[in-house]
Amino acid sequence: EISMATSRQNIRKLKKDGYIFKKPVKIHSRARARRHAEAKAKGRHTGTGKRRGTRNARMPSKRLWINRLRVLRRLLAKYKRMNKIDQHMYHELYVKSKGNVFKNKRVLIEHIIAAKAEKAREKALAEQAAARRARNKAKRERIAVKKAESERAHEADDKKKSKAKAKRAKKSATPTPGAAPAGKVSHKQPKKDK
């Protein structure tokens, strides 16, 4: 009778009568697997005896490099967005990151702080130098003005002196009554008769 049952209805009837029954689903528990995974997460079962692949096969160095570079680039983009660094410094640090200059994020942040401090120091020094140049220029201008004034004063003084001298010479050159006219004094010797 069981071998003759070919339809679903027949099977249902046999099951109802108790001739056949449904087997329970086999249990495939992951409890042990979960327990093992938790232990591995803590660092158990990962010694040299448990490793089958090479170091690079287990954790590729390229993957590590990609992760590191992404962290650094994210930080640079964030700092640029927050205006902590300008585009020139951003580009310089971006290229240096690609060139493997920074080992990790902390090293990059320290470098940025140092670079900003150095930049501020250079700016302060440049401002001081500019102020010093401006002061020196103003001083030179003041000295030049004073020199020009003193030269003008000397020239005016010399003119006065020369005028006074000329006046005195003119006074002394006016003829006194009974004296020979000035400027017509003859130094020639009188001719002797032969």
Side-chain angles (χ1 to χ4, degrees), residues 27-34:
I27 293 171
H28 187 180
S29 172
R30 280 199 54 78
R32 285 186 304 280
R34 282 196 206 97

Side-chain angles (χ1 to χ4, degrees), residues 60-174:
S61 55
K62 185 174 181 178
R63 185 78 248 169
L64 291 171
W65 166 255
I66 290 167
N67 292 345
R68 193 169 102 202
L69 203 60
R70 283 179 180 174
V71 165
L72 297 178
R73 284 178 178 176
R74 260 200 306 273
L75 180 77
L76 287 174
K78 181 183 169 188
Y79 271 28
K80 187 183 173 191
R81 213 169 38 247
M82 291 164 66
N83 293 326
K84 283 192 176 181
I85 54 174
D86 61 351
Q87 61 185 13
H88 303 293
M89 191 184 276
Y90 170 82
H91 181 69
E92 183 190 326
L93 296 175
Y94 188 96
V95 173
K96 279 187 176 179
S97 300
K98 188 179 180 180
N100 197 19
V101 173
F102 309 114
K103 191 167 102 175
N104 52 39
K105 199 157 109 174
R106 179 178 55 79
V107 173
L108 176 57
I109 290 169
E110 283 172 6
H111 184 276
I112 289 170
I113 290 165
K116 282 174 81 177
E118 180 63 25
K119 203 173 179 183
R121 195 174 71 82
E122 282 176 7
K123 191 180 176 186
L125 286 173
E127 283 173 1
Q128 284 173 10
R132 199 180 304 116
R133 280 196 296 274
R135 277 200 309 273
N136 290 346
K137 191 178 178 185
K139 193 178 179 183
R140 280 198 302 274
E141 284 173 358
R142 282 199 307 273
I143 289 168
V145 167
K146 275 186 181 178
K147 198 173 183 183
E149 282 175 3
S150 66
E151 280 176 5
R152 277 200 297 273
H154 280 304
E155 281 174 12
D157 210 24
D158 286 347
K159 276 183 184 176
K160 277 183 184 176
K161 280 181 182 175
S162 61
K163 274 184 183 177
K165 205 174 188 183
K167 235 180 191 178
R168 278 200 303 274
K170 207 174 181 184
K171 247 186 189 176
S172 64
T174 51

